[in-house]
Amino acid sequence: VEHLLAACFGYGIDALNVQINSPELPIGDGSAHIWSEAIQRAGIERRSAHRYSPVAIEPMTVSDGVVSISVAPTEYWSVRFEGTFPDGSHQSAEWTEELEFAAELANARTFAPLSQIVALRRAGAIRGGSLETSLVCVDIPITEDIRQEVATFWPDVTLRMTDERLLEPQKLRRPNELARHKLVDLLGDLMLGGIAPDGRFGPLRIEACGSGHVLNRQFVRAVIDVHR
């Protein structure tokens, strides 16, 4: 759901109707691209701005060890993510009100380290996952045991690592695609909790360092609780 909500954040949408015929939203290629396209096809109706009395937010930081998210009032909205990824790279990405969501963020795909894929499959999870729905970062040695285990759920996948430390034939769409997708996740989690540039709050500068869904949710709850 965060991929759809990130698209809503990026397009400035605060009201929509979504009809699906499955228990959960489709994942597409693991990015927000399908939602960006759907929104563009449906069209956006611009209505008069909501008349909120904007809540003034005080600077605050929520952290859990080395990962953190901070917020502070500013002149223009911006959200930034930076972190270190399974391939060992340190990447960053930023959303601003001037950024075109469809061109810059919509096609950044979700990712997972190979070690996590193996562990989740052992636990009976992600049975619908494939190389078409997620990037797989190679973070462990590809031993014969790993090859045999992966072959039980991905029999057509040849375990070979690319120069970008992905499984063949995957390739990054942008050098910082992983950071761009984490930013997409963050925008969606903010939108889910009601923190978006829709007039409820003044312009905010939000900076995340290594955060994931758990800390994102904690951050949103902390902001809302303090500024009720």
Side-chain angles (χ1 to χ4, degrees):
V1 69
E2 68 272 10
H3 299 169
L4 169 57
L5 292 174
C8 293
F9 191 112
Y11 283 103
I13 294 172
D14 62 1
L16 78 164
N17 179 32
V18 180
Q19 298 180 6
I20 61 173
N21 60 359
S22 61
E24 60 182 359
L25 295 177
I27 192 172
D29 66 353
S31 74
H33 179 67
I34 58 172
W35 303 116
S36 179
E37 282 197 325
I39 288 170
Q40 291 183 19
R41 286 197 304 269
I44 301 173
E45 180 181 350
R46 299 298 182 185
R47 301 177 181 177
S48 58
H50 291 293
R51 299 306 179 193
Y52 296 111
S53 296
V55 176
I57 286 188
E58 296 295 324
M60 63 181 297
T61 299
V62 174
S63 64
D64 181 9
V66 297
V67 298
S68 65
I69 310 178
S70 63
V71 61
T74 187
E75 187 175 358
Y76 301 103
W77 264 92
S78 65
V79 183
R80 184 175 189 274
F81 179 92
E82 68 171 310
T84 301
F85 294 89
D87 62 358
S89 65
H90 189 85
Q91 303 178 17
S92 64
E94 184 171 12
W95 173 89
T96 66
E97 294 178 83
E98 293 76 28
L99 182 140
E100 185 180 350
F101 183 85
E104 300 297 329
L105 294 178
N107 71 346
R109 294 162 290 178
T110 191
F111 60 92
L114 179 59
S115 60
Q116 186 180 61
I117 296 290
V118 172
L120 288 172
R121 289 294 305 209
R122 287 172 181 168
I126 62 165
R127 292 189 176 275
S130 70
L131 297 190
E132 285 71 47
T133 61
S134 174
L135 293 172
V136 178
C137 303
V138 180
D139 65 327
I140 55 175
I142 300 178
T143 63
E144 186 58 33
D145 286 344
I146 291 295
R147 291 182 191 278
Q148 292 180 9
E149 184 167 3
V150 171
T152 64
F153 55 86
W154 286 345
D156 298 327
V157 173
T158 300
L159 289 193
R160 281 196 294 265
M161 183 176 68
T162 70
D163 292 341
E164 296 174 317
R165 300 190 67 82
L166 301 174
L167 285 183
E168 287 188 351
Q170 295 184 326
K171 295 181 180 180
L172 292 174
R173 292 170 175 168
R174 303 286 183 92
N176 67 337
E177 183 175 358
L178 306 187
R180 288 174 190 251
H181 185 79
K182 291 290 284 187
L183 178 58
V184 166
D185 283 347
L186 176 58
L187 296 182
D189 289 341
L190 292 173
M191 189 76 175
L192 182 62
I195 300 177
D198 58 4
R200 291 179 175 85
F201 302 100
L204 299 176
R205 170 72 173 172
I206 297 174
E207 298 186 350
C209 180
S211 69
H213 289 303
V214 173
L215 190 66
N216 293 348
R217 291 194 295 268
Q218 292 175 358
F219 169 77
V220 170
R221 291 193 191 103
V223 172
I224 298 304
D225 287 347
V226 169
H227 298 91
R228 288 187 185 280

